[in-house]
Amino acid sequence: VIRCRAAVAWAVGKPLSVEEVEVAPPKAGEVRIKIVATGICRTDDHILEGCFPNVVFPVIPGHEGAGIVESVGEGVTSVKPGDKVIPLCLPQCGECSFCLNPESNYCLKSHVSEPQNLLPDKTSRFTCKGKQIHHFLWVSTFAEYTVIPEYAVAKIDAAAPLDKVCLLGCGFPTGYGAAINTAEVKPGSTCAVFGIGGVGLSVVMGCKAAGASRIIAVDINKDKFAKAKELGATECISPGDFKKPIQEVLTEITGHGVDYSFEVIGHADTMTAALASCNMNTGVCVMVGVPASGSVISIDPMLLLSGRTWKGTLLGDWKMRDCIPKLVSSYLEKKFNSDLLITHTLPIAKVNEGFELLRTGK
Ligand code: NAD
Ligand code: ZN
Ligand code: ZN
């Protein structure tokens, strides 16, 4: 058993509490990882807000980390102690019918199919003050050590800087993949990205890499515009500056609506606005933002009948175990610069300060 620090969420609406926790050794088919760095994704904040009723507290959040294998359980062959790895919040067992389908990146053996946020054997490896603490998405990267099923671990290049590539655990691949895999943005096209946080900025980078000629960033926080432009946005607009609904503004300034729109916020109203912003016939709208559980959308069916495509994405449609190591190699070859997404670096003791920076849009 390893004793180390972890940021524990004891209850909805409470700040995280940095505690000493016990991390049990990995069982068969599991890997114990020393987490070196983790990003904060808005999904972690959704947990603290209580948006997902199936997440059981107390829980250790965090799902965008990178680390080093400390030990492995019986039968683990794909990684060994000392390997650099990225924990995968979407696993890839490689055997289920979804994993065997080349067009799917979902895995039937994922925690999403078994939502009680314990490991596959329905137990936890974390305790604190004599209490069992739940895992989050099986990865719980807000702990200095975490235990994960082998098929939710990707071995990466030994040269990768873990404090940078941790972003390849969620935010960057989600946004970048939403543009290049899910939407399949074409060269010369026009794109609109609603919400330019870490994930939305990664969509902007993906649209640019795919050769879009016009990339319109939409956000209520104008402080985000400079970074969006640096990463490839050609225009930035704030809905508050217009009397008309933003979908009408976008339709007007582009003639017939954009070719591709992306919702990267997680609100029902911006999801329908993004759908209505793409052109009526060949437009493609991708839902990236995670809505609060129980959200309902009602739309005029004509929006889809006229030909539009509306799709969602999980982690940017990458088959995670196959693709994350390749994305790390592309990062090392400087094919994209996800370092530009890093705004602050804090020690784990200041994790709540990190959440405050996220909530205040900094
Ligand atoms: P973030 O909070 O950093 O960014 C959200 C941005 O949206 C902010 O810049 C905010 O100012 C802007 N915004 C808020 N309300 C707006 C409005 N009404 N109109 C325009 N802009 C508005 O969040 P993030 O970490 O970039 O995550 C974005 C979303 O993506 C979250 O919902 C997160 O849960 C989700 N997500 C989904 C997946 C997936 O697999 N689909 C993966 C990771 C994250
Ligand atoms: Zn995330
Ligand atoms: Zn599978």
Side-chain angles (χ1 to χ4, degrees):
V1 174
I2 291 179
R3 288 174 175 277
C4 64
R5 287 178 303 171
V8 179
W10 289 99
V12 169
K14 292 263 159 44
L16 289 162
S17 154
V18 178
E19 309 271 8
E20 188 178 89
V21 298
E22 294 87 39
V23 186
K27 291 190 185 174
E30 297 174 354
V31 181
R32 186 159 61 181
I33 296 166
K34 177 184 166 63
I35 295 291
V36 172
T38 181
I40 298 180
C41 166
R42 179 62 82 165
T43 307
D44 298 307
D45 195 38
H46 293 331
I47 293 296
L48 304 182
E49 289 170 340
C51 294
F52 309 119
N54 59 356
V55 170
V56 186
F57 288 72
V59 58
I60 299 175
H63 63 282
E64 193 176 76
I68 297 168
V69 174
E70 178 272 334
S71 60
V72 299
E74 203 188 308
V76 169
T77 53
S78 62
V79 292
K80 57 178 188 317
D83 283 348
K84 285 188 179 174
V85 290
I86 290 185
L88 306 175
C89 47
L90 193 59
Q92 186 187 348
C93 79
E95 291 163 358
C96 72
S97 61
F98 277 65
C99 280
L100 292 172
N101 176 353
E103 289 180 11
S104 159
N105 76 330
Y106 182 66
C107 173
L108 289 173
K109 287 205 207 162
S110 88
H111 44 77
V112 185
S113 312
E114 296 188 33
Q116 72 281 69
N117 59 329
L118 293 167
L119 290 185
D121 73 347
K122 306 208 187 337
T123 61
S124 165
R125 300 293 162 271
F126 296 121
T127 50
C128 178
K129 297 175 180 161
K131 270 199 141 164
Q132 171 181 279
I133 311 293
H134 290 85
H135 294 248
F136 175 54
L137 305 181
W138 288 350
V139 290
S140 291
T141 59
F142 291 174
E144 289 175 316
Y145 286 85
T146 189
V147 178
I148 303 176
E150 179 183 16
Y151 64 94
V153 176
K155 180 178 169 175
I156 58 167
D157 194 312
L162 298 177
D163 60 334
K164 305 286 192 296
V165 299
C166 60
L167 297 185
L168 275 59
C170 179
F172 179 77
T174 297
Y176 198 72
I180 66 173
N181 299 331
T182 315
E184 298 184 276
V185 168
K186 291 197 185 81
S189 61
T190 299
C191 303
V193 184
F194 286 66
I196 40 172
V199 185
L201 288 171
S202 305
V203 175
V204 169
M205 290 168 82
C207 293
K208 188 179 175 190
S213 56
R214 200 169 172 193
I215 304 169
I216 308 169
V218 182
D219 203 297
I220 49 175
N221 181 354
K222 293 185 182 178
D223 293 342
K224 306 255 175 169
F225 290 177
K227 179 72 73 142
K229 285 201 169 147
E230 184 187 348
L231 292 173
T234 54
E235 289 143 83
C236 295
I237 58 175
S238 170
D241 286 347
F242 303 92
K243 288 209 178 78
K244 286 181 191 169
I246 198 70
Q247 57 271 35
E248 288 178 27
V249 175
L250 283 163
T251 305
E252 227 171 75
I253 62 176
T254 56
H256 302 283
V258 297
D259 299 306
Y260 306 95
S261 59
F262 301 86
E263 202 276 358
V264 205
I265 304 163
H267 294 164
D269 55 346
T270 41
M271 287 176 180
T272 45
L275 176 65
S277 301
C278 68
N279 92 58
M280 63 177 286
N281 185 231
T282 58
V284 175
C285 176
V286 180
M287 200 186 277
V288 187
V290 176
S293 122
S295 299
V296 173
I297 291 179
S298 82
I299 58 153
D300 176 350
M302 281 307 288
L303 281 168
L304 293 175
L305 189 81
S306 60
R308 283 183 181 87
T309 303
W310 202 7
K311 12 162 84 171
T313 191
L314 279 178
L315 276 301
D317 275 340
W318 305 98
K319 274 190 184 290
M320 296 289 276
R321 239 176 141 204
D322 295 344
C323 297
I324 296 305
K326 291 180 191 154
L327 271 181
V328 169
S329 303
S330 300
Y331 166 87
L332 291 170
E333 289 158 15
K334 300 199 183 330
K335 294 201 173 136
F336 54 79
N337 187 1
S338 47
D339 294 357
L340 294 170
L341 300 170
I342 300 172
T343 52
H344 302 77
T345 305
L346 300 167
I348 188 172
K350 293 192 175 173
V351 63
N352 287 311
E353 216 172 280
F355 275 89
E356 248 347 273
L357 290 165
L358 174 75
R359 292 179 193 126
T360 51
K362 292 182 178 130

